[in-house]
Amino acid sequence: MSDAYDYFRAHAIAAVRKARALPPGRPKQKQRTVARVYHLLSKEAALAPNVHHLEDFRMARRLERQIGR
């Protein structure tokens, strides 16, 4: 396994846990979407490590920070 896979997988798990703790509504839906993005990134990183995933990761992190506000 690559380090990128483990890193993305850890973020996906944390995002799912955060989504489960939120009350039903728009923020919960957004957080679940962020978790799906992290999960997809981890799948892609497992197949072929690639630096192009970093921009997708940064966008997901930015969205996750906006949800927390």
Side-chain angles (χ1 to χ4, degrees):
M1 286 188 200
S2 72
D3 292 332
Y5 169 78
D6 296 331
Y7 189 70
F8 291 144
R9 180 86 172 146
H11 278 285
I13 292 169
V16 167
R17 288 182 180 155
K18 185 176 176 183
R20 287 180 182 164
L22 291 172
R26 189 79 173 133
K28 184 172 188 157
Q29 290 174 344
K30 287 182 180 180
Q31 186 64 39
R32 289 187 68 199
T33 301
V34 168
R36 280 189 221 115
V37 169
Y38 288 145
H39 183 70
L40 290 172
L41 287 172
S42 70
K43 282 183 169 183
E44 289 179 4
L47 295 175
N50 196 334
V51 294
H52 300 296
H53 301 306
L54 292 178
E55 186 58 35
D56 297 330
F57 175 74
R58 288 183 187 122
M59 292 302 293
R61 292 287 295 193
R62 194 172 300 137
L63 176 62
E64 191 172 15
R65 278 188 239 119
Q66 289 175 355
I67 294 168
R69 292 181 190 172

